[in-house]
Amino acid sequence: MPRLHLNTHSIDVAADSTATLFDYAEKLGVKVPTSCRKQGKCKECIVEVTQGADLLSAPGEEEKHLSDGFRLSCRACIAASDGEIHCHTMRRGTLVVENQAYELPVHADGFTPDPTVTRDGERVLLDGHEIDRRPVTDALHGLAIDIGTTTVVIRLLNLESGELVASSSFENPQRFGGSDVMARIQYDTEDKSRSLQRTLSGYLSHAIEELPVDPTSIYEVVIAGNSTMRDMFFRLSVYTIGQSPYQSLTEHEMAAGKRDTTVLTATAKKLGLPVNPAARVYGMPIISGHVGADTAACMLAADIGNEDRLVAIMDIGTNTELILGNKHKVMAASCPAGPAFEGGQISCGMPGLPGAIEKVVMDDDDEFTCSVIGGGEAQGLCGSGLVSLLAELVRGDRMNRLGRFEYDDHELTVTGDVTFNEEDVNNLAQAKGANVAGLQIIFQQYGIKAEELDVFYLAGGFGKHLDLDASKRIGLIPDIPLEKIRQVGNAAVEGACIALLSKTKRAELEALVRRVEHCRLETDPNFFDVFVEGCQFAPIGSETPA
Ligand code: FES
């Protein structure tokens, strides 16, 4: 009798060629997203099969868009009488999602909402025009959504008081189209059925339906996200973002004089969101093809447009975004760092899920003590665990600054089955080299040194959980005093909230984005030298060894 392991549930099943994985999921009480009730149409019921794919029926027509390892659970049947199948829905466990933001100017100064949605008695107005009638006792709501390549974060706000009513987050289900934006662009370009967009829309709709308010009371939705995620959500082709000079359609249209902003708007009805049909969806402006609306939202959260101090924002990820400046001058850069610091291309790498090592301490006998998310047995290393491990290896002289192990034979055991090898180090070195090159070149082009910075914001979930001393020791962030560094968490969703609540701030951001100077790393003559220097595991700016 085959054994089915679905998410964290297991059963022994009689091989029944008419029953699908979806049917077994229902039996186990595992919730599978669906809008078509198992008809093979909505493409939401995807599962990732990590073992025993050959024990399932062959993929059918409706699954042609899926790459190896992914199936529609309403189509895949168990087709063997023995063996073991491991699979999970696209909502794996509880991902450590950073959906809060901290230590931003808005938190210190307070904030008075002036939303685009207002009311005059029972009349609900959008930009001063009536769009609905509603009892005066009903609250008016809006949504701020940050669509990340890895995670999606939603906040529900009361538009008049600014109060946070609810929030939710989930893993971006588009993972079946690849883990980084370039893979998603290629997938979307080749897939005429737009399944990436449709799957995400389905997940978003389910998340909105679960919010604790009448969805028709939601009158505006603000979308942040990198350029690819934003444009795909708005059903635009993202092909041009993947081709030199890496610009979105909105930038091409601006250059051709067809529009004067990279902002996107559409009705909720057109995008299929289950909110008030008259609601507007506002896509925040992008700065370039690889410096997107999420970065613009971070600029708003950090209030750079009104800032006298010299400020940098760094959001480390598969594509690291950098902002440097103040109200007088702002520059932006993007660094294609790759997925290593998110656990990709690392032999025992994994996302920040339960079971991931997030911190490592090495004692005098070179033994490791590991902190594991959720306690329990270590299954791999997430980004913060990798930074911590590298810093400990450098501190204990077990690895030199060039990334070579001093006395381990190309591989060491961290704990249990979790190992770490020199190829992993090499991949991390290249990711770090790209980040450091970005920092060095943007500082050079701006004409300042890192020590002249007044504030260094580390945005994003990865930045929030970084050990700052460890990060400085291996040269992932500038070697500046700790009191200048703010680990602000999800500043993008915070910026999206500000744009949702204030038309004044929204207009300020649109004007600021037009002034941002784009720093192109790939054409800088010093890029190769600073990249090579940045691949070393040493504080930024320290001397190269003889
Ligand atoms: S449930 Fe809709 S495609 Fe499977």
Side-chain angles (χ1 to χ4, degrees), residues 22 34 36-45 72 74:
F22 199 128
T34 172
C36 75
R37 290 202 234 140
K38 305 195 255 182
Q39 296 303 304
K41 291 182 182 157
C42 71
K43 319 290 188 202
E44 293 172 19
C45 67
L72 289 183
C74 72

Side-chain angles (χ1 to χ4, degrees), residues 54-70:
D54 54 334
L55 307 180
L56 297 169
S57 57
E61 253 322 278
E62 300 97 332
E63 299 172 271
K64 267 169 63 181
H65 65 293
L66 293 174
S67 45
D68 284 352
F70 294 93

Side-chain angles (χ1 to χ4, degrees), residues 235-254:
R235 303 183 183 179
L236 295 185
S237 165
V238 291
Y239 173 75
T240 56
I241 303 177
Q243 307 294 317
S244 179
Y246 308 108
Q247 291 178 328
S248 76
L249 270 186
T250 52
E251 291 172 276
H252 283 289
E253 288 174 3
M254 266 182 82

Side-chain angles (χ1 to χ4, degrees), residues 140-157:
L140 308 180
H141 295 110
L143 293 175
I145 303 178
D146 177 31
I147 304 175
T149 314
T150 313
T151 56
V152 179
V153 175
I154 303 173
R155 283 197 193 169
L156 172 71
L157 299 170

